[in-house]
Amino acid sequence: MFPTKLCFTSKGLGSLLHLQYLSHHVPKRTIFEFFKFWKDQKPKTNISDLPYAIVTPATVSPRRVLPEHIQKPEYADTGIPGMPSLFPILADHLDVERMRASGQMARKVLDLAAKEVKVGITTDEIDEVVHQACIDNKVYPSPLNYKGFPKSVCTSVNNVLVHGIPDSRPLQDGDIINIDITVYQHGYHGDVSETFLVGDVDKRGRQLVDMARKCRNEAILTCRHGRKISEIGNMISKHAGQAGFAICPIFVGHGIGKLFHCKPDIWHYANNYPEEMHEGMIFTIEPVILEYRDDPLEDEDGWTVYSKNYARSAQFEHTVLITNTGVEVLTAGANETFLNVTTDSEDPESVLDAEDQEWKFRP
C-alpha cells in the first residue's frame, strides 16, 4: 500500500522526464536511475482492440467516518504521517506478536472484500464493505486520510497501476482488480493485497495475474537473515522477464510496523544494492507487474496512477518477517503454503524471543 509516491502530472518532474525500465541490466540503486529515458517505447494501443474496458475517473463519494472508540494512527486527523527512521528498526518480541495480529486482521478484511468482487458492484461499495469490516473488528483502515487519501482501501482496476480511489464505476466482465488492504490494530499496521478476476478474463489477463502472484511468492522464498535485499528484485525480474512481462520500477515495498511506511525500501527490479536482510526486519513485498512496458501517469486527484498506453497491471502483496531461520509470512491466507520457508520462533538464540518478553497478544 502506497509503496512510493512520485508526481507524473504536468506540475511534476515526470512531465519533463520519462522513466526507464531496468529489466535488461542490473543497475546501482540510486535516485538517478529513476530519471533516465525509456527505451523501446510501446506504441499507443488501439482501445477498440483491447479485451478489457479502459478505466477513467468516476464519482467519488464523501469520506466515511469512524467511531471515536477506534484507536487511530498519528495521521488520522491531520493527514500527516510520522517521521520514519533513516534506518530499519528491528522488531522485538512484542512487535512481532502485534504484527502477527495486525497481519491476520488485514487478511481477514481482504477475504471479506474478495467475496464482494463480481460484475456490477462498484469499487465504492467495496470500500463500504471494507470500512464497515474495520469498524466491526475495532481497527482503523490505514489508508483513510493517509496524506489525505479519501477512502479506506485502494482498488486498482485494469489500466490503473496503483492507488485507485474507490468510486462509482461498476466492475465489468473481463476486469481485473487489485484490492489493497491495510489495517491499524493495537498500534501496528498490517498490509496485504491481491488481484482478482471479474467474470470471464482473457488468457493474457489471467497469465498476468498468475505471474504477479508467482513473482511475489518466489521473492518471498529468497528471504532470510544475511541475504541481500537486492535478491528480491533480481528474482522478480527473472520471472517477469522470462514470461514476457514488465515491472514498474517506481513502486517499492517498505518497512512497516508502528509506522505505515518506514525503512527498508524493497526494490522490485534487478539491482545490486548491498543492504542485507536482518532478523527482526518486517517489510512488504508488492511488485507491480505490467502486461507490457508503459509509462505511469498520475491523475489530477494526486493518487490514481494510470498506464499511459493502457497496459494492465497486477499486484500481490504480503507482509513478511525475517527470522533467524528464514521468513514468516504475516499476512498469509488459510490456503497459502510457501515451500522451503522455515520459521522457528522458539529458537532460544533468537533475538525475537528474549526471555524477558512475556507479553502475548490476546484478541
Side-chain angles (χ1 to χ4, degrees), residues 70-274:
I70 291 180
Q71 182 183 7
K72 298 175 176 62
E74 76 283 355
Y75 54 81
D77 295 325
T78 66
I80 302 173
M83 182 64 68
S85 169
L86 295 177
F87 304 97
I89 298 174
L90 302 183
D92 62 20
H93 186 76
L94 175 61
D95 298 327
V96 170
E97 291 294 331
R98 291 195 174 184
M99 283 300 294
R100 284 176 179 143
S102 63
Q104 283 306 298
M105 180 57 69
R107 164 56 58 181
K108 178 180 179 180
V109 174
L110 178 61
D111 289 345
L112 289 171
K115 293 178 181 178
E116 303 300 319
V117 174
K118 57 182 177 291
V119 174
I121 193 171
T122 68
T123 51
D124 186 63
E125 289 173 313
I126 293 175
D127 179 77
E128 184 176 14
V129 169
V130 169
H131 190 85
Q132 187 59 50
C134 289
I135 292 174
D136 294 343
N137 288 279
K138 299 180 175 61
V139 298
Y140 186 93
S142 300
L144 189 62
N145 206 34
Y146 177 83
K147 297 184 178 181
F149 191 79
K151 292 295 181 178
S152 296
V153 61
C154 285
T155 52
S156 301
V157 180
N158 294 347
N159 56 299
V160 176
L161 301 183
V162 293
H163 305 163
I165 298 175
D167 60 25
S168 61
R169 179 191 183 274
L171 294 181
Q172 301 181 27
D173 187 49
D175 284 349
I176 61 174
I177 176 174
N178 175 266
I179 300 179
D180 197 337
I181 301 289
T182 314
V183 301
Y184 182 72
Q185 180 182 43
H186 298 297
Y188 292 77
H189 299 271
D191 196 356
V192 64
S193 87
E194 292 187 4
T195 298
F196 302 95
L197 306 177
V198 183
D200 184 18
V201 176
D202 65 289
K203 180 179 179 180
R204 183 64 171 172
R206 297 194 305 271
Q207 290 173 337
L208 172 65
V209 172
D210 289 342
M211 180 51 57
R213 182 188 294 107
K214 180 176 182 179
C215 284
R216 179 204 60 184
N217 291 352
E218 292 295 330
I220 289 172
L221 296 181
T222 69
C223 294
R224 62 192 61 245
H225 176 78
R227 287 191 176 175
K228 291 183 178 181
I229 291 177
S230 60
E231 293 192 33
I232 294 172
N234 295 339
M235 181 62 71
I236 292 168
S237 292
K238 172 185 174 182
H239 286 283
Q242 288 177 346
F245 294 105
I247 302 163
C248 189
I250 63 170
F251 299 110
V252 303
H254 53 86
I256 188 169
K258 293 180 181 179
L259 293 178
F260 196 168
H261 297 91
C262 53
K263 297 296 183 179
D265 296 326
I266 308 299
W267 301 91
H268 298 124
Y269 58 82
N271 68 94
N272 59 6
Y273 192 70

Side-chain angles (χ1 to χ4, degrees), residues 91 96 100 223-227 277-281 321-328 341-353:
V96 170
R100 284 176 179 143
C223 294
R224 62 192 61 245
H225 176 78
R227 287 191 176 175
M277 304 177 213
H278 292 285
E279 180 186 6
M281 279 186 177
L321 161 71
I322 304 301
T323 72
N324 65 322
T325 57
V327 61
E328 180 177 345
V341 171
T342 57
T343 61
D344 185 3
S345 61
E346 299 302 318
D347 191 316
E349 296 182 359
S350 172
V351 298
L352 304 184
D353 291 281

